[in-house]
Amino acid sequence: PCVVIFCVQPNPKLLESSPRVRKASPPRVAPPQLGWKRANPKNILISAVGDVMMGTDRVKLRARGKYLLQACAPYLQGFDINFYNNEGTFAKANVKPNKRSIPGISYVFRSPRIYATWLAKAGFNMASLANNHSYDYGWKGLYQTARLL
């Protein structure tokens, strides 16, 4: 098995339309008072979440998905590393799936490339691509995802 981990800082030159990203509106919920404290200033605080698959390029969301992570962003504050598993790809639209999608049986995941920006703005700064959907769009899709992140 191969574990691939990337730091999340989307390259705007690789986004399809190179959108200008404005600061997201502040969350409507008050940030939680989690009280994370360092016992030692040399310690590193790490948060880790499981699979993140924000959506599909087949469904158009309001504001291009900009608010999908609004409610969870406050929980990511105060950590040095916010790690997640990127369940799927950010392959470009012209890349064909590696396998056939059969509803209810098999699925191929590709999120719009702009969603990588929203992940970074929410506070995620490390991602794993080691999962069963990383190859849904073949080597080309995996490479494009890794390069974007």
Side-chain angles (χ1 to χ4, degrees):
C2 176
V3 175
V4 183
I5 298 175
F6 292 92
C7 291
V8 179
Q9 186 175 4
N11 183 342
K13 292 178 184 174
L14 298 176
L15 293 170
E16 288 160 304
S17 61
S18 295
R20 292 183 182 192
V21 179
R22 294 184 213 129
K23 286 187 175 181
S25 302
R28 292 184 184 163
V29 293
Q33 301 300 315
L34 300 175
W36 303 120
K37 295 179 183 173
R38 296 174 192 272
N40 181 329
K42 293 181 182 178
N43 291 349
I44 296 173
L45 289 176
I46 300 172
S47 75
V49 301
D51 297 348
V52 174
M53 204 288 286
M54 295 171 58
T56 175
D57 58 354
R58 296 178 186 162
V59 176
K60 302 298 180 204
L61 296 175
R62 182 176 65 86
R64 298 173 64 195
K66 183 176 183 176
Y67 302 103
L68 284 171
L69 297 169
Q70 183 175 1
C72 75
Y75 292 93
L76 301 174
Q77 295 175 3
F79 291 96
D80 299 301
I81 297 172
N82 289 305
F83 176 84
Y84 78 100
N85 177 51
N86 193 76
E87 188 77 7
T89 70
F90 291 109
K92 292 181 180 178
N94 63 346
V95 178
K96 301 292 181 213
N98 188 45
K99 61 184 180 182
R100 203 173 88 196
S101 177
I102 304 168
I105 298 173
S106 69
Y107 299 92
V108 292
F109 296 148
R110 171 174 53 198
S111 294
R113 293 169 66 81
I114 189 66
Y115 287 10
T117 300
W118 311 144
L119 285 161
K121 287 202 172 283
F124 287 107
N125 54 13
M126 188 174 284
S128 170
L129 301 181
N131 64 72
N132 59 317
H133 287 285
S134 294
Y135 195 64
D136 281 1
Y137 285 82
W139 285 111
K140 193 171 187 176
L142 179 60
Y143 173 77
Q144 288 175 354
T145 301
R147 188 150 182 233
L148 178 65
L149 295 178

